[in-house]
């Protein structure tokens, strides 16, 4: 087995042993989304209009909660030192961490998103775009989140700082994610939105492991 | 293959920890780092591992400096620091398995490593139920579970009872017989025969503040 699959295997095993951590994130996502109709009223047309934005914003906020746990336990118990001293470069560790984060957080959020859309009576034409944008956007969020988590490693009150660092960077994902769903509902082409989101994902895939590895090296010094 | 460092100095938090330090480890030898608390034993070990870059000087194997190929350097070493790198939710076997396999270890060696560190029969116990000494032994079991010529050990016998210290001693002796090398930071006499001692206090420059005298 290559180092990448070994690290991925370890991360997933750890996540499954602490399944409540992932469950809490999804539960937060559902609860936060369910709160909106109580605040704005149960008018069906308005809820359907709000659906894409609510799903995306609450998914982002739920993901924010999960980033602090990405490196902190490994940093505190010395596992990060061992990963850094392993035969795999830290860039590969960063990719494995982001992939494991997506599998244990992004994927569950993606699965829960259509359920929330049903609650909001999202028009049928929007579901395809919702799932596709989630599939393209959640890995981007995981990748950018690993950079933020690595940068704030070892700092006190890192969680707040992490949100301040990561949220501005994932605004484009939010803009094009909701725009694609709106376009699909109104019968416009969604291709360009999806292509832009694919571009963000590819860019993040190339750049974020480098940034994460550099930040981890700094944290370990 | 020799591992050596030349003219090393290390600055931690605006304080010069040591400077002008040279060392060399030959196959089959052990280097013991001594010096009072805060004299820079751990700093030197971390520099040797490549976790911290030396402020000055360089580390090298006979075939080139470690900065040329850090991954290759990492493949050649085991580092057992103060932190145990154990997960409370994983069993003893799973905890060792991941680190051993990353370093190219195989199942048979993992089982024998647990035996050598007297952790036989504990394979399925979750990490959170281990005592401090058992955690330490599991951390040291990494040394025996996969091959690497250079061992960097930071106070390896902390929290260990007498039989465990003897087990560690024989582990190091076996490693040296097979041509391995060990660098051990310690303040207690481990009773290891035929070692070279490096006293960090000889290089500390009285731990003076590097900004002293600069006005």
């Amino acid at each position: 087995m290559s180092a990448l699959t070994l690290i991925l295997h370890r991360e997933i095993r750890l996540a499954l042993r602490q399944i409540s951590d992932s469950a809490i994130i999804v539960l937060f996502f559902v609860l936060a989304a369910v709160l909106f109709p109580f605040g704005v009223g149960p008018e069906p047309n308005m809820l359907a209009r709000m659906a894409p934005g609510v799903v995306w914003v609450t998914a982002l906020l739920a993901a924010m909660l999960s980033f602090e746990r990405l490196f902190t336990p490994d940093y505190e118990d010395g596992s990060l030192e061992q990963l850094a001293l392993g035969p795999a470069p830290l860039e590969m560790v960063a990719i494995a961490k982001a992939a494991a984060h997506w599998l244990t957080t992004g994927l569950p959020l993606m699965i829960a998103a259509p359920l929330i859309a049903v609650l909001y009576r999202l028009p049928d034409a929007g579901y395809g775009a919702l799932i596709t944008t989630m599939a393209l956007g959640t890995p981007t969020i995981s990748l950018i989140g690993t950079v933020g988590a690595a940068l704030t490693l070892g700092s006190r009150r890192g969680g707040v700082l992490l949100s301040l660092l990561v949220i501005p960077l994932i605004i484009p994902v939010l803009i094009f994610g909701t725009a694609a769903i709106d376009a699909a509902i109104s019968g416009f082409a969604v291709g360009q939105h999806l292509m832009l989101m694919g571009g963000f994902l590819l860019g993040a895939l190339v750049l974020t492991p480098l940034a994460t590895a550099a930040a981890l090296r700094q944290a370990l010094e | 293959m020799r591992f050596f460092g030349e003219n090393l100095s290390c600055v931690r938090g605006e304080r010069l920890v040591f400077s002008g330090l040279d060392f060399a480890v030959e196959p089959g030898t052990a280097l013991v780092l001594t010096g009072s608390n805060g004299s820079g034993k751990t700093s030197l070990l971390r520099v040797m591992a490549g976790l911290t870059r030396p402020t000055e000087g360089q580390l090298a194997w006979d075939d080139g400096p470690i900065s040329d190929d850090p991954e290759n350097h990492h493949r050649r070493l085991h580092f057992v620091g103060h932190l145990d790198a154990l997960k409370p939710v994983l069993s003893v076997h799973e905890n060792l398995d991941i680190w051993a396999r990353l370093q190219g270890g195989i199942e048979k060696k993992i089982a024998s490593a647990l035996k050598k560190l007297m952790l036989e029969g504990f394979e399925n116990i979750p990490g959170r139920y281990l005592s401090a000494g058992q955690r330490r032994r599991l951390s040291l079991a990494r040394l025996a579970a996969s091959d690497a010529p250079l061992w960097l050990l930071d106070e390896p016998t902390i929290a260990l009872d007498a039989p465990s210290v003897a087990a560690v001693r024989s582990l190091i002796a076996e490693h040296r017989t097979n041509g391995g090398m060990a660098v051990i930071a310690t303040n207690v006499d481990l009773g290891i025969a035929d070692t070279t001692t490096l006293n960090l206090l000889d290089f500390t420059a009285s731990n003076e503040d590097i900004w002293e005298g600069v006005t």
Side-chain angles (χ1 to χ4, degrees):
Chain A
M1 264 198 281
S2 79
L4 186 73
T5 47
L6 275 171
I7 299 170
L8 198 58
H9 195 80
R10 165 185 189 265
E11 295 298 325
I12 291 166
R13 182 183 279 174
L14 281 171
L16 290 177
R17 294 285 162 85
Q18 305 164 65
I19 194 80
S20 57
D21 284 7
S22 297
I24 282 171
I25 305 293
V26 178
L27 205 62
F28 175 86
F29 177 43
V30 174
L31 278 179
V34 165
L35 272 184
F36 278 86
F38 293 109
V40 298
E43 213 264 299
N45 285 337
M46 185 165 61
L47 290 182
R49 177 73 198 83
M50 280 170 54
V54 168
V55 171
W56 262 105
V57 170
T58 45
L60 285 185
L61 294 179
M64 278 300 136
L65 295 178
S66 62
F67 291 130
E68 216 184 340
R69 303 272 308 156
L70 204 52
F71 290 115
T72 309
D74 281 345
Y75 178 69
E76 283 171 354
D77 70 14
S79 299
L80 197 59
E81 269 174 13
Q82 292 301 325
L83 284 172
L85 292 176
L90 270 176
E91 285 80 5
M92 202 188 270
V93 174
I95 292 180
K97 279 276 186 184
H101 179 267
W102 182 75
L103 285 172
T104 56
T105 309
L107 192 60
L109 289 179
M110 196 175 130
I111 293 166
L115 301 178
I116 291 167
V118 169
L119 290 180
Y120 278 76
R121 299 191 54 185
L122 182 78
D124 293 347
Y127 283 92
L130 173 66
I131 293 169
T132 320
T133 54
M134 278 293 211
L136 288 170
T138 47
T140 315
I141 295 169
S142 290
L143 285 163
I144 294 174
T146 47
V147 181
L151 280 171
T152 52
L153 203 53
S155 64
R156 286 190 301 145
R157 315 280 303 149
V160 182
L161 188 59
L162 201 154
S163 306
L164 290 177
L165 280 171
V166 172
I167 288 177
L169 290 172
I170 52 185
I171 287 176
V173 175
L174 178 64
I175 291 173
F176 291 100
T178 51
I181 304 169
D182 281 336
I185 295 169
S186 325
F188 295 115
V190 292
Q192 69 272 41
H193 299 300
L194 297 182
M195 269 192 263
L196 269 167
M197 291 190 79
F200 295 143
L201 175 57
L202 291 178
L205 201 56
V206 174
L207 296 175
T208 58
L210 300 173
T212 305
L216 290 178
R217 268 185 207 108
Q218 200 60 41
L220 284 170
E221 279 248 323
Chain B
M1 186 115 64
R2 209 163 64 104
F3 176 61
F4 58 97
E6 284 164 346
N7 194 29
L8 295 170
S9 51
C10 176
V11 174
R12 302 292 283 168
E14 301 192 354
R15 197 176 64 108
L16 185 63
V17 186
F18 54 78
S19 63
L21 189 148
D22 296 304
F23 76 90
V25 213
E26 310 271 349
T29 63
L31 179 67
V32 175
L33 309 178
T34 59
S36 52
N37 296 150
S39 60
K41 298 187 293 294
T42 299
S43 296
L44 179 57
L45 275 179
R46 291 179 70 87
V47 166
M48 285 181 181
L51 282 170
T52 311
R53 240 172 300 166
T55 316
E56 250 189 304
Q58 73 165 2
L59 290 147
W61 291 82
D62 279 337
D63 58 357
I66 67 163
S67 48
D68 284 1
D69 191 353
E71 276 80 42
N72 193 29
H73 175 58
H74 292 160
R75 228 166 278 146
R76 288 175 180 170
L77 70 86
H78 275 309
F79 176 78
V80 179
H82 289 295
L83 301 169
D84 292 321
L86 302 182
K87 290 292 173 194
V89 293
L90 297 184
S91 73
V92 166
H93 184 274
E94 287 167 331
N95 264 306
L96 182 59
D97 186 78
I98 169 69
W99 301 124
R101 276 184 207 278
L102 264 179
Q103 289 276 2
I106 50 167
E107 182 56 44
K108 216 172 114 191
K109 288 209 78 160
I110 295 168
S112 86
L114 287 172
K115 196 173 172 185
K116 279 179 192 161
L117 272 302
M118 300 175 293
L119 286 164
E120 232 179 346
F122 289 88
E123 285 90 346
N124 298 319
I125 307 269
R128 63 174 170 277
Y129 296 129
L130 296 182
S131 74
Q134 287 167 331
R135 293 174 64 89
R136 194 75 199 146
R137 272 188 273 151
L138 181 50
S139 189
L140 288 161
R142 287 206 309 269
L143 299 170
S146 63
D147 293 321
L150 177 65
W151 289 6
L152 303 172
L153 314 177
D154 200 352
E155 303 279 6
T157 55
I158 241 162
L160 292 188
D161 53 15
S164 309
V165 173
V168 173
R169 204 180 292 136
S170 68
L171 201 65
I172 294 172
E174 190 192 329
H175 176 60
R176 289 173 65 189
T177 320
N178 295 333
M181 36 193 137
V183 181
I184 307 152
T186 181
N187 269 321
V188 292
D189 184 16
L190 297 178
I192 301 170
D194 187 26
T195 56
T196 323
T197 303
L198 189 74
N199 190 337
L200 264 295
L201 288 175
D202 297 342
F203 304 94
T204 49
S206 69
N207 281 6
E208 65 198 23
D209 199 316
I210 48 172
W211 305 116
E212 210 170 55
V214 180
T215 47

